[in-house]
Amino acid sequence: MSSSSVLFSLWIVSVCLSLLVRVQAAVIGPSLPVMALLGEDVILPCRCDPARDLGSMTVEWSRTDVKPAPSDPLKRSKFVHMYRNRKDDMDMKIEEYINRTQLFPEQFGAGNASLRIRSVRLSDNATYKCFVPNLWEEAYVTLIVREAATPTEAADTESKLNIDISPTPPSDRSRLPAVVSFVVVAVLSVSVVLFVVISKLQKQHVDATGRMMSGGLSSILS
């Protein structure tokens, strides 16, 4: 194999490794159930960490207690909300959520996949799954809807409903891919430089040996 072919192969390996070492984004939901009062709007938090632009991806919200219809040969489950092909998709949407759900497309660039449910009902009590097929990652959010509350409980519930969905600052995890990629590329770059230097030295040694053998042969023949 020629030195140019080896160098090209090393370049391809370095590019592939720099892409592979990127840490897979995780889809994250709240650690505690989300509380809501009957008739109020509620936001089910879900985001990517590190942030990924969801604009060109698919975001699926479903209920874990909704199973595929027995009559459906494809065994598909209906969705609370689906976003794909850069728009909301009404296909296979659960009827009781029509005109009641909303994503936040203006925050897709920050990896925000949160879902708003308007005028929550007691039937909305469930565990919801936030799934991003492009990342093959999911998170679960449990929603608890209550009919009424005492003034103290109502104030506490209201504070829980006012969920901050603004972009979060980058975590240590979000900075890790860049660091790892830099280290890998740096190591591979040094390896390529060493390979080139060693190849040149070997070529010079071969050329020198060839000249010596040629000179010796000439002396013998003369």
Side-chain angles (χ1 to χ4, degrees), residues 64-206:
T64 59
D65 59 341
V66 174
K67 306 302 180 184
S71 58
D72 185 357
L74 298 179
K75 302 300 181 183
R76 297 174 299 173
S77 295
K78 290 189 175 183
F79 295 96
V80 174
H81 195 103
M82 176 184 285
Y83 172 90
R84 64 180 174 185
N85 298 327
R86 298 186 179 275
K87 63 181 181 179
D88 292 333
D89 192 333
M90 299 299 293
D91 183 38
M92 297 296 293
K93 187 179 180 76
I94 300 175
E95 287 76 6
E96 64 184 270
Y97 290 99
I98 294 177
N99 297 325
R100 293 182 56 228
T101 59
Q102 171 197 353
L103 296 179
F104 300 87
E106 70 279 3
Q107 296 190 22
F108 281 166
N112 180 19
S114 300
L115 177 73
R116 182 194 298 275
I117 302 179
R118 300 185 183 90
S119 301
V120 292
R121 308 167 181 174
L122 293 177
S123 59
D124 293 333
N125 277 301
T127 296
Y128 295 77
K129 181 172 75 171
C130 172
F131 179 47
V132 182
N134 306 75
L135 304 176
W136 206 252
E137 285 283 332
E138 61 191 30
Y140 294 87
V141 185
T142 298
L143 173 62
I144 299 176
V145 181
R146 300 183 62 180
E147 290 190 71
T150 64
T152 301
E153 291 175 328
D156 182 60
T157 302
E158 182 178 359
S159 67
K160 291 179 180 179
L161 289 174
N162 295 327
I163 299 170
D164 182 12
I165 60 170
S166 58
T168 56
S171 63
D172 292 337
R173 176 176 179 173
S174 65
R175 289 189 287 266
L176 184 59
V179 174
V180 176
S181 298
F182 174 79
V183 171
V184 171
V185 172
V187 171
L188 288 173
S189 300
V190 172
S191 301
V192 169
V193 171
L194 289 176
F195 174 81
V196 172
V197 172
I198 293 173
S199 297
K200 287 184 177 180
L201 291 175
Q202 288 179 339
K203 186 176 184 303
Q204 292 174 357
H205 177 72
V206 170

